[in-house]
């Protein structure tokens, strides 16, 4: 009997030990992959990656901020091209307006990298946490930080998709069916390989709807400005409510929602910024680009949103603005770098100046490329542009003593470069305006003009023109001059050219034309020098977008 | 006591606590089961109720209820005799007395729970005649060393009557027919048959079984007689492991067993080895076999070869499936020694030796100063440069050169830089061990001291290790034991580089007082231990406890529990004096870094074994569970501006560099396994093993996997039609089929995770230092790679086992290779747009053959031979859809792996000689459009110049790989009286090695390469018409003849592409990475020769010792190869990385070693 007891005892214990081992706790890692946001402070790290992707890109070249501006400058009628140079960008292809292959896939990748991690944070906020990820957080924290962070995430997702849809889809056509599909429409983190390989592809309309919705949420959730109690990092280079309204205004302009009743139009957004934003124009145009100096914040009263490059620790990431050097001819990140004057540091990579066509259109050059009084009395010419004399005039007579000759061996003609970014000695750490008050005024000018409010348009534009007016050169003040605008002498061409003088190389020109359904002209190109159909491109701007790269497309096709 | 899951609180809390509690519970279980067990038939009680039953039924009942077994002679005892017994709780002795009362039988209790039933007085034999009872037979059984062997089975042949030897090796049998034969058998020893022939005392010396069918091999969670093993298992004995001078078990294993290939990765002290069993089984995951040391998974790197009893290499699925997800790459089981002699034994071994490099720079073909200048000057002249080359043209590139060197000074210098980096190596190896065994247990103890100074200057290693193996038998049914091995390894890592032969090394007038010329860039100064130190120390403890309980009420059933650990701490320290640091970082003083890595691994096994024979049926089964936990914690720090003069990081350094302290690895495995083997009539065998593994490397959804293997065998030699053939001792046909896994998959590929990094930050770092990105999208379906293995083999023994061995064919179908599947950019993953999945498949197959023979054997002279050869090849069946659809394959530098080809084939442009008219290197052109469209690599038939562009756009499809297609070893041993001579050869071939060093030095460049190929002086192209070995020497590798890929050429097969001629030069041939430098890696190496002398036993007795052997040996004595590089065996085997196996980058050769040693036993 005793033996049977032993036997039962043994079998029982043995079975128990064996069966007890079937629990998953055994496999629990002491150091599993960490969830990144366990506190409000942690959650603060969610938005920066998006700004990083937009302004620094992956590895420094692919940020959409620099990419969009550069391509816009080159492809439009604004940029002029030094033939025979081909450093860095595929200049020939761009000059031909050849949209066969994307010039830089890394921007596409950096945009989706930013989007995917934003989606992760939003999924967690809305779905996992049901909109209240930190229930024990103070109400102040929830309002000033958590809500603001989510607002930033919406804002940046809109920023990325706005860049992508303009890059890879045809221009939005107001009142038309915008059903073109090319881009993956990803608003949640994919959970599997098959989900990545078979994404939903969004129509142009869907993307614009998403961007509008994201920006509307951003306007609702973002504060007007930094306040004590918010995370201190929010002070520098981050989006606020007015940045969201400004971006939304750009979107509405492209969607043809220029003005009207209610808030869902561009003019309403701009009005709010002007009335409530407490922004104003700086005294000098260059002040927007030099006030940051050694400070983290851009102290310009005009800046609504700026790209942060000021921290020396971020220097390695600060190369996105390198692309701008294509139309500035400066090598900005050397200690000795800088724009016009003693800090000028020539770089042979740079190959785009302001087109001769545009120089003449804005009235700064006369027929033989010499400067007009209009240029000389404009502070912007002196402060934000750089005029080079062609090398063949090196020994000529009548050359101004402070003129600089273009050192490029191929350039034997006068050129004018955008030179607003690198005027400071320590230019790599200069913060860059992304949205500033001048653009708001210029946008409202054209919208007011188109809406029939010509006096209102003149009033807005006069602020810009007056700031640029050099009394000493002109010999009179702006209001006394014939240049002063009223509802009766303002024209649309004046508004356009003023925009070029103020914002070239800074805010994209082509979306402006598309918003107004204006043709994209050739600039310095001849009809025979571009891909057929890409001469003067009229609405609906057929073919004016890049296809998804073949490498990217192959994934979807193979699936 | 009531136990249920809830009462086991340890399953809820900390894992470690739980782990130990499980062990404690098992010990408790054993204790509970052990306590009631008594040790005699007169103390163990039971109840029996039999009515009109047979004696046999009584015996069966007692056997079931106790640990006793009955022995009797069928001719003497009629077990069908009817009896009736009704006894409650009496001793077994009482029960037997009662049952046998009135019957002509008596019983006697023997050792090992045997009860002998014997007839009283004279007894009849089968033919009915009466024989006279003999005087008892007695004697002693010893092993070849004279030590007593307890537990030897002695059976009268043809009966089950017998006994076993006691603790002193003595035996006694009371009744033995006069004309009978005694069979003496013992595990691991050759069975002996001795005819009684009237003798009353028979002393027997059993010889150890070296390769016979009685050999016992370790299989997973147990041992088995080799004849019963159905899998492919190769074994290496302890004697063979101690013959080389290396302190490494791996070195000692080289060439010893079929199917296992071992190669050393460098000639430095303590360098790692690459071990592959039956080739490779994975592209991205590990190919390392699983090592089991006394039941504990771990590394064998630090083990003392003298401590090892046997090494068993498990190769096929039937052998390794019991290890489940870790079995795909094979399993190597190491069993350490245990005490076995009643008298005890003390052994002392000492050997010492010297070593030298096997090749010198001049052997390799480096130019001396004169030749160096000759090449450079000729290159400049050929390129139209008439100014003499100045050494400062090169030296100036290095900002650390502060003292100039003129051309004439350089030409007057011809330093022997190689001697500055190398030296004559030495080593000492001392081993002291002692053992003793009794019937209650045994102890083995050893201490080892090993000190090596390798041929690389400042490269030293010292190892001290100690081991205690103790086995204890407190009661008859319980064995307890412990294994403890402590190893302390300290060393310095030397380094080696090349120098310009014309560059001075020393400078007596050095202003900085170091004595070196340009000390800040002087490679010899950089390794000077006064200024540079790279030290390391490892403290490792391996050990464990086991308990094995023979379940008393189920005959043949035992329960074993093993708890093991492997802990190590490795500290590394590097220090560099400000005196030699680069001037690039001036004024930042001396610098140092320290690191400490703690590795902890714990393993727990609990399993039961059942072995039983029922007439013609032999059954054995094992069932159990295993749990393994391991982790690594890493700490490191570095600093500059060190204070103090000691060679260490010191206190409060001026500038703190990097700092890390974190757990970098953790891995948990839990398993359930079982194995059942069945043998019928000693000739038909069947086996099945199954394992269920769960791993923390994978997500819960894919965590668990099952691995099953089936095997069958037929011992044909036991059939009557072969039994008649005396020359055949064994022919066993065996086959297996089964699945195993490879869990050496990189971590963190199953789980999605985020990374907070400064790289993703924005804004002021002081305010917010990091941004968060989704870095990796984990694949929850990812699991281990699965290998389906097929194995067919024949084991044979011929001519009384004078010839024995095995032949096997194997095929391994590796499915679900873990490969990175590229994802579109829209995946937006910061860690790379890819996801790892089980997608690829490769086939790996080959043959193995091994033979051991006694070629000659008489009283004074014996000659034995052991030979093995393995062939191996693999083929990729598929990769990912992406890689296959584009014909892309996996390209890594010089290799590609593509579907339809072997793993990692060289993809180099195919060299086509030197153009006799133009003096440039040629390569064979391929049809590039065809390649782009289909992936097919096909020659156009045209030779084109080897310009940089052409070389980078041209591939070959020779399917040459760095993986040997055959390898093995040959060992011959001769003994003559007291002398013995062993000659061991290892060989390998069928592989190719790309000699990057030879490629690099075979061009003039602009004089930037420290070494230049001396052959180029005389054998480079000089003039049109020359059939030269090397192209014309040209400065900066810039030639006048080039190639225009797009030029129309109607005369060519492709109608496009033609020569160009640019006066003065215009085509770059700098990238000369083509197949010219791809060499066959075949070699035969005389691994060692050992000559020894054993002192005669008479002399030994006179000086009161048991045994004395002195010997001399040499290692790596000769290498027969056509490979022109440093050493065909060397290779960086970091398989997953570019620069891996088969890529020789100028590493130093292995050393040739000569040893003198003595072995003494008391």
């Amino acid at each position: 009997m005793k033996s049977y007891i032993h036997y039962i005892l043994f079998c029982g214990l043995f079975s128990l030990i064996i069966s007890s081992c079937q629990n998953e706790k055994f496999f629990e890692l002491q150091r599993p992959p960490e969830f990144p946001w366990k506190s409000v402070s942690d959650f603060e790290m969610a938005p920066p990656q998006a700004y990083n992707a937009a302004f620094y890109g992956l590895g420094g070249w692919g940020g959409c901020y620099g990419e969009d501006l550069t391509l816009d400058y080159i492809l439009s009628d604004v940029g002029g091209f030094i033939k025979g140079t081909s450093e860095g960008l595929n200049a020939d292809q761009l000059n031909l307006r050849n949209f066969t292959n994307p010039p830089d896939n890394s921007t596409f990748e950096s945009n989706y990298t930013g989007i995917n991690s934003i989606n992760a944070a939003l999924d967690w906020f809305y779905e996992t946490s049901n909109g209240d990820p930190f229930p024990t957080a103070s109400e102040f924290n929830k309002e000033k930080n958590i809500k603001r962070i989510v607002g930033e995430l919406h804002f940046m997702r809109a920023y990325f998709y706005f860049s992508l849809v303009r890059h890879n889809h045809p221009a939005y056509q107001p009142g038309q069916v915008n059903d073109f599909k090319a881009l993956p429409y990803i608003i949640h983190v994919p959970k599997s390989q098959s989900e990545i390989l078979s994404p939903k592809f969004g129509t142009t309309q869907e993307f614009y709807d998403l961007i509008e919705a994201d920006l509307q949420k951003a306007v609702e959730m973002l504060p007007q400005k930094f306040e004590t109690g918010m995370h201190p990092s929010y002070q520098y280079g981050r989006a606020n409510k007015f940045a969201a309204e400004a971006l939304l205004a750009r979107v509405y302009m492209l969607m043809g929602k220029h003005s009207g009743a209610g808030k869902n139009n561009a003019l309403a957004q701009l009005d709010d910024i002007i009335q409530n934003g407490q922004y104003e124009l700086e005294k000098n145009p260059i002040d927007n680009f030099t006030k940051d100096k050694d400070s983290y914040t851009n102290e310009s009263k005009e800046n609504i949103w700026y790209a942060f490059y000021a921290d020396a620790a971020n220097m390695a990431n600060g190369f996105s603005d390198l692309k701008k050097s294509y139309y500035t001819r400066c090598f900005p990140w050397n200690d000795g770098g800088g724009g016009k004057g003693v800090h000028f540091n020539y770089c042979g990579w740079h190959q785009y100046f302001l087109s001769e066509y545009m120089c003449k259109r804005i009235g700064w050059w006369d027929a033989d490329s010499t400067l007009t009084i209009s240029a000389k009395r404009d502070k912007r010419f002196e402060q934000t542009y750089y005029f080079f004399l062609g090398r063949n005039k090196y020994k000529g007579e009548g050359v101004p003593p402070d003129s600089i000759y273009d050192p490029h061996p191929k350039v034997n003609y006068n050129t004018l470069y955008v030179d607003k970014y690198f005027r400071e000695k320590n230019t790599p750490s200069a913060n860059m305006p992304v949205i500033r008050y001048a653009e708001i005024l210029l946008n409202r000018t054209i919208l007011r003009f188109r809406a029939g409010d010509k006096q209102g348009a003149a009033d807005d534009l006069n602020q810009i023109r007056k700031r640029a007016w050099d009394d000493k050169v002109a010999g009179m003040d702006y209001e006394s001059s014939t240049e002063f605008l009223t509802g009766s002498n303002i024209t649309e061409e004046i508004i356009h050219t003023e925009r070029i003088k103020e914002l070239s190389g800074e805010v994209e020109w082509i979306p402006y034309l598309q918003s107004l359904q204006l043709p994209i002209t050739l600039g310095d190109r001849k009809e025979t020098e571009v891909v057929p159909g890409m001469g003067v491109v009229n609405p609906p701007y057929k073919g004016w977008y890049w296809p998804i790269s073949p490498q990217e497309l192959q994934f979807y096709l193979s699936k | 006591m009531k136990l249920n899951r809830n009462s086991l609180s340890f399953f809820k809390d900390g894992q470690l606590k739980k782990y130990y509690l499980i062990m404690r519970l098992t010990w408790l279980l054993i204790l509970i089961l052990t306590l009631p067990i008594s040790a005699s038939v007169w103390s163990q009680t039971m109840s029996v109720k039999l009515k009109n039953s047979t004696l046999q039924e009584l015996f069966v009942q007692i056997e079931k209820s106790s640990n006793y077994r009955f022995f009797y002679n069928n001719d003497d005892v009629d077990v069908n005799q009817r009896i009736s017994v009704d006894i409650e709780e009496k001793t077994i002795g009482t029960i037997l007395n009662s049952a046998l009362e009135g019957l002509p039988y008596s019983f006697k209790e023997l050792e090992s729970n045997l009860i002998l039933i014997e007839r009283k007085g004279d007894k009849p034999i089968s033919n009915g005649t009466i024989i006279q009872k003999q005087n008892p037979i007695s004697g002693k059984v010893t092993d070849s060393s004279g030590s007593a062997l307890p537990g030897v089975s002695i059976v009268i042949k043809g009966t089950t009557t017998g006994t076993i030897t006691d603790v002193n090796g003595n035996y006694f049998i009371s009744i033995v027919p006069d004309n009978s034969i005694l069979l003496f058998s013992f595990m691991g020893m050759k069975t002996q048959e001795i005819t009684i022939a009237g003798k009353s005392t028979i002393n027997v010396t059993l010889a150890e079984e070296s390769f016979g069918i009685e050999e016992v091999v370790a299989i997973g969670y147990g041992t088995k007689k080799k004849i019963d093993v159905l899998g492919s298992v190769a074994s290496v004995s302890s004697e063979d492991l101690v013959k080389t001078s290396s302190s490494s078990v791996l070195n000692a294993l080289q060439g010893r067993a079929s199917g296992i290939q071992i190669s050393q990765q460098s000639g430095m002290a303590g360098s790692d080895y690459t071990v592959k069993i039956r080739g490779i089984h994975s592209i991205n995951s590990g190919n390392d076999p699983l090592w089991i040391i006394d039941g504990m998974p771990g590394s064998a790197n630090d083990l003392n070869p003298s401590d090892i009893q046997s090494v068993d290499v498990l190769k096929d699925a039937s052998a390794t499936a019991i290890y489940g997800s870790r079995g795909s790459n094979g399993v190597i089981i190491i069993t350490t020694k245990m005490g076995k002699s009643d008298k005890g034994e003390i052994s002392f071994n000492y050997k010492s030796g010297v070593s030298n490099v096997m090749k010198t720079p001049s052997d390799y073909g480096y130019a001396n100063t004169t030749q160096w200048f000759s090449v450079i000057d000729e290159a400049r002249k050929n390129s139209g440069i008439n100014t003499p080359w100045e050494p400062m043209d090169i030296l100036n590139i290095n900002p650390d050169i502060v003292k100039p060197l003129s051309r004439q000074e350089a030409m007057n210098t011809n330093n022997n830089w190689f001697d500055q980096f190398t030296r004559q190596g030495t080593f000492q190896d001392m081993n002291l061990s002692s053992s003793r065994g009794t019937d209650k247990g045994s102890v083995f103890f050893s201490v080892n001291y090993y000190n090596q100074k390798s041929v690389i200057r400042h490269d030293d290693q010292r190892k001290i290790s100690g081991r205690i193996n103790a086995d204890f038998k407190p009661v008859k049914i319980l064995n307890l034991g412990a294994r403890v091995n402590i190893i302390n390894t300290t060393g310095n890592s030397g380094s080696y580089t090349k120098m310009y032969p014309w560059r001075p090394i020393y400078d007596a007038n050095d202003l900085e007082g170091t004595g070196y010329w340009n000390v800040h860039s002087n490679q010899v100064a950089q390794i000077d231990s006064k200024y540079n130190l790279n030290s390391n120390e490892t403290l490792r403890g391996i050990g464990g406890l086991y308990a094995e309980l023979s379940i008393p009420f189920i005959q043949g059933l035992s329960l074993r529990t093993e708890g093991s650990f492997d802990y190590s701490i490795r500290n590394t320290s590097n220090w560099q004096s400000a005196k030699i640091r680069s001037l690039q970082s001036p004024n930042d003083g001396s610098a140092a870094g320290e690191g400490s890595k703690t590795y902890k691994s714990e393993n727990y096994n609990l399993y039961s074994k059942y072995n039983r024979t029922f007439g013609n049926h032999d059954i054995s089964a094992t069932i159990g569970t295993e749990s393994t936990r391991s982790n690594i914690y890493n700490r490191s720090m570095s600093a500059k501006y060190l204070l103090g003069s000691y060679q260490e990081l010191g206190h409060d350094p001026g500038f703190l560099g990097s700092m890390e302290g974190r757990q970098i690895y953790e891995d948990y495995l839990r398993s359930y396994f079982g194995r059942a083997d069945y043998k019928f009539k000693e000739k038909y065998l069947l086996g099945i093993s199954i394992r269920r593994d769960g791993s923390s490397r994978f997500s819960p959804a894919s965590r668990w996997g099952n691995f099953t293997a089936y095997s069958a065998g037929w011992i044909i030699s036991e059939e009557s039609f072969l039994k008649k053939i005396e020359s055949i001792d064994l022919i066993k046909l065996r086959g297996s089929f089964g699945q195993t896994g490879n869990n050496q998959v990189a971590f963190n590929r199953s789980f999605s995770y985020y990374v907070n990094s400064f790289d993703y930050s924005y804004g002021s770092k002081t305010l917010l230092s990091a941004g968060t990105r989704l870095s990796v999208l984990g694949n929850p379906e990812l699991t281990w790679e699965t290998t389906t293995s097929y194995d067919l083999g024949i084991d044979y023994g011929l001519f009384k086992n004078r010839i024995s061995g095995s032949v096997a064919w194997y095929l391994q179908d590796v499915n679900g290779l873990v490969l990175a599947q590229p994802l579109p950019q829209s995946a937006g993953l910061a860690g790379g747009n890819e996801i790892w999945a089980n997608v690829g498949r490769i086939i790996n197959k080959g043959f193995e053959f091994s033979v051991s023979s006694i070629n000659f054997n008489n009283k004074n002279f014996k000659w034995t031979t052991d030979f093995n050869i393995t062939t191996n090849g693999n083929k990729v069946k598929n990769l990912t859809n992406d890689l296959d659809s584009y014909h892309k394959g996996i390209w890594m530098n010089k290799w590609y792996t593509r579907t339809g080809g072997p793993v990692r084939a060289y993809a180099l442009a195919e060299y086509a000689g030197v153009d006799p008219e133009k003096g440039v290197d040629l390569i064979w052109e391929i049809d590039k459009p065809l390649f782009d469209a289909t992936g097919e690599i096909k020659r156009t038939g045209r030779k084109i110049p080897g310009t940089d562009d052409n070389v980078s756009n041209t591939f070959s499809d020779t399917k040459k790989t760095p993986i040997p297609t055959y390898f093995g070893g040959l060992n011959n041993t001769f003994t003559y009286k007291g002398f013995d001579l062993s000659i061991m050869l290892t060989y390998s071939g069928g592989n190719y090695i790309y000699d990057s060093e030879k490629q690099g030095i075979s061009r003039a460049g602009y004089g930037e390469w420290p070494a230049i190929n001396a052959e180029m002086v005389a054998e480079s192209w000089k003039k049109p018409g020359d059939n030269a070995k090397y192209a014309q020497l040209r400065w900066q590798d810039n030639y006048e003849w080039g190639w225009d890929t797009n030029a129309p050429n109607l005369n060519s097969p492709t109608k496009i592409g033609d020569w160009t001629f640019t006066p003065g030069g215009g085509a770059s041939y700098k990238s000369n990475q083509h197949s010219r430098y791809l060499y066959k890696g075949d070699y035969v190496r005389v691994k060692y020769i050992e000559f020894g002398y054993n002192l005669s036993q008479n002399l030994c007795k006179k000086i009161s010792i048991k045994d004395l052997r002195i010997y001399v040996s040499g290692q790596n004595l000769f290498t027969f190869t056509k490979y022109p590089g440093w050493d065909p065996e060397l290779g960086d085997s970091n398989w997953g990385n570019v620069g891996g196996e088969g890529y020789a980058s100028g590493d130093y050769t292995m050393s040739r070693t000569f040893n003198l040693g003595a072995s003494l036993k008391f």
Side-chain angles (χ1 to χ4, degrees), chain A residues 14 18, chain B residues 605-608 622-626 671-675:
Chain A
F14 189 73
I18 295 288
Chain B
N605 295 334
L606 173 66
Y607 55 96
S608 65
T622 300
I623 183 169
T625 179
E626 177 172 10
S671 316
Y672 305 97
F673 56 83
R675 178 179 53 225

Side-chain angles (χ1 to χ4, degrees), chain B residues 111-112 114 140-142 147-155 163-171 183-189 206 340 342 438-439 473:
Chain B
E111 292 286 340
S112 302
L114 298 176
K140 183 172 185 174
V141 183
T142 56
S147 300
L149 283 176
V152 176
S153 169
I154 303 129
V155 180
T163 187
I164 59 171
T165 56
D166 64 15
V167 66
N168 298 314
N170 297 321
Y171 70 95
L183 294 177
F184 293 80
S185 60
F186 188 68
M187 287 293 217
M189 301 293 215
L206 292 182
K340 63 181 180 181
D342 64 319
T438 71
D439 61 338
K473 189 168 188 171

Side-chain angles (χ1 to χ4, degrees), chain A residues 56 233 236-237 292-298 306-319 426-432, chain B residues 758 761-770:
Chain A
Y56 308 154
S233 64
Y236 309 116
D292 60 326
K293 289 188 179 177
D294 299 323
S295 166
Y296 286 166
T297 184
N298 189 314
Y306 62 90
F308 183 93
Y309 294 113
D311 193 336
N314 279 322
M315 289 283 283
N317 293 327
F319 287 161
N426 192 20
T427 47
S429 58
N431 297 327
M432 303 290 172
Chain B
F758 173 64
S761 71
Y762 175 73
S764 166
K765 187 182 179 184
T766 54
L767 299 176
L768 189 62
S769 62

